[in-house]
Amino acid sequence: MISRRRFLTLSACVIGFPADASPTRWRGFALGADVQISLYAPAHLAQTALNTCKAQLKLIERQFSLYDPNSALSGLNRAGKLAHPHPWMQELLRQCDTIHRATSGAFDPTVQPLWLALSRGQPTQAARHAIGWERVTQSPDQIALDSGQALTLNGIAQGYATDVIKSQLAAVGLQKSLINIGEFAALGGPFHIGVEDPSAGLVTTRKLMNQAIATSSPGALQLDARHSHILSPTGADMNWSTVSVMAHSAALADAASTAFCTMTVEEIKAAKSNLPEINEVIAVDHAGQITTI
């Protein structure tokens, strides 16, 4: 089973910070992604903040992990319903709905049965019929799936976790940190981020300060000879080799970078106009040419 839903080799280096002010760094693993958190703070404050982050990541995984059979998401997929969902789950599904609508359905978490069928080499007809975010019902009391449906939040949960950790670090008084939970978010800054494509290598760099960046590359991992690990709910082609999105929210950048892989320039522009928190889209075509939107 693929442990990460996409290729992501954004590289980061700190600029404009004294050479002797080395960060406190922690590496771990959460939500199918490598995690690195770099904190610029006195050692005692940094350690307290890291302890808080580790505890929060465990709670986040208990909600959104597909790899934990005891997570709330796994329970929802197994039973088809989830009573009294956690506020994080409610908030994340509201964000899914917003991005689904803004991308005209290109972002759709109900592709999970199709992902499973393709990864197992099974027939896909029933899985394709199960796709349809509009058939998921949500309320503070219950989330319910339609018959045959299951959700993957891998296209947004890493970004959401990044946002939660960034907020936690700000709440304990840190002013400069770089969080990488499959997506990058900067608290303060500036940081320089390099964006890489599987074929073209390093294609550009961006300065990150108090915002986030997420990258999706369909060709980096394949489910089979014909299908990328990033799946279109409509069966649309992958128009781009790599898409990076810069936004205030890492969850938004995460989901948008996934959806935009199957969208044309005009479609991305229309979606971006409906998602004003997106600052920039960097799309790399299959010839290595960059389009900035």
Side-chain angles (χ1 to χ4, degrees):
M1 179 175 290
I2 296 172
S3 62
R4 295 188 63 184
R5 70 181 175 83
R6 69 213 173 165
F7 170 85
L8 179 61
T9 58
L10 289 171
S11 57
C13 62
V14 181
I15 63 171
F17 206 78
D20 59 348
S22 298
T24 298
R25 289 192 174 96
W26 175 74
R27 293 177 182 269
F29 191 81
L31 295 170
D34 294 320
V35 175
Q36 180 171 315
I37 301 174
S38 300
L39 308 179
Y40 293 82
H44 69 283
L45 178 57
Q47 191 57 55
T48 298
L50 282 177
N51 290 340
T52 299
C53 291
K54 293 175 189 178
Q56 288 293 96
L57 283 171
K58 289 181 180 179
L59 295 176
I60 292 167
E61 286 206 298
R62 292 288 289 180
Q63 290 298 314
F64 305 129
S65 176
L66 277 175
Y67 311 102
D68 179 358
N70 296 314
S71 72
L73 178 59
S74 294
L76 170 62
N77 286 342
R78 197 163 45 243
K81 59 185 178 180
L82 178 66
H84 309 296
H86 190 281
W88 283 346
M89 182 68 76
Q90 295 180 52
E91 181 184 2
L92 186 54
L93 294 194
R94 285 194 295 269
Q95 292 188 35
C96 288
D97 190 66
T98 296
I99 299 164
H100 174 80
R101 293 172 186 274
T103 60
S104 299
F107 179 77
D108 192 323
T110 63
V111 297
Q112 176 63 8
L114 178 59
W115 196 100
L116 287 174
L118 288 169
S119 68
R120 295 168 178 171
Q122 297 172 343
T124 61
Q125 184 176 7
R128 293 184 188 279
H129 286 160
I131 295 173
W133 176 254
E134 68 282 355
R135 305 205 305 271
V136 178
T137 59
Q138 308 168 52
S139 75
D141 296 324
Q142 181 175 268
I143 299 165
L145 308 179
D146 200 5
S147 177
Q149 287 192 316
L151 302 185
T152 173
L153 298 176
N154 284 0
I156 190 171
Q158 291 175 354
Y160 185 81
T162 303
D163 289 333
V164 170
I165 296 302
K166 179 181 174 181
S167 295
Q168 288 290 324
L169 293 176
V172 299
L174 272 71
Q175 297 182 343
K176 183 169 184 175
S177 302
L178 184 66
I179 305 104
N180 170 16
I181 308 176
E183 332 302 337
F184 279 93
L187 176 63
F191 300 90
H192 275 171
I193 303 294
V195 179
E196 295 189 13
D197 175 76
S199 299
L202 181 67
V203 293
T204 190
T205 61
R206 288 296 185 271
K207 183 168 70 174
L208 202 64
M209 186 164 184
N210 289 320
Q211 58 182 326
I213 187 169
T215 292
S216 291
S217 296
L221 292 171
Q222 296 291 125
L223 290 179
D224 59 28
R226 296 177 53 243
H227 296 95
S228 164
H229 61 294
I230 297 176
L231 296 176
S232 166
T234 63
D237 292 335
M238 295 293 152
N239 285 334
W240 306 99
S241 178
T242 289
V243 176
S244 293
V245 174
M246 295 182 68
H248 176 70
S249 159
L252 173 56
D254 190 4
S257 70
T258 301
F260 290 172
C261 287
T262 66
M263 298 170 68
T264 66
V265 169
E266 292 306 314
E267 289 169 339
I268 292 172
K269 286 180 178 178
K272 186 171 178 286
S273 70
N274 292 323
L275 298 167
E277 284 194 342
I278 292 179
N279 300 319
E280 185 180 32
V281 180
I282 306 156
V284 184
D285 68 19
H286 297 287
Q289 299 299 307
I290 299 173
T291 299
T292 301
I293 304 165

